Amino acid sequence: MTSADGNTRPSAVQGANLALKAVATHVDQTTVDVTGQATFKSKDAGVATVDGCTLTAVKAGSARINATYDGVTSPDLTVKVTAHAA
């Protein structure tokens, strides 16, 4: 799981949206984009929420996000949320 641009260490400014992407790796090592079929979940909804495959940065901190597809859950992706510049 990554941000839609392939970043494995994404960040977002408070109030911004970030597109997420899920790719499944099969036993034969082929990969397929399953973003539309995956269920994304935030373990830290106070920092970032997820609706479909779009993350919304709520407040500064770190949010752990994962995706589930075909009964398999990805490792957590940590998204760093920063506050608006003063």
Side-chain angles (χ1 to χ4, degrees), residues 13-50:
V13 175
Q14 184 179 352
N17 291 328
L18 179 69
L20 301 171
K21 180 177 180 179
V23 175
T25 302
H26 297 284
V27 176
D28 65 1
Q29 298 305 307
T30 59
T31 59
V32 62
D33 185 333
V34 296
T35 302
Q37 297 81 37
T39 302
F40 295 88
K41 181 180 177 185
S42 173
K43 292 182 176 179
D44 304 291
V47 175
T49 60
V50 178

Side-chain angles (χ1 to χ4, degrees), residues 1-3 6-12 18 77-80:
M1 188 182 135
T2 65
S3 61
N7 191 342
T8 59
R9 302 181 132 212
S11 63
L18 179 69
L77 173 71
T78 301
V79 178
K80 182 179 178 184

Side-chain angles (χ1 to χ4, degrees), residues 55-67:
L55 175 143
T56 300
V58 177
K59 73 172 189 176
S62 293
R64 296 163 297 154
I65 313 297
N66 63 34

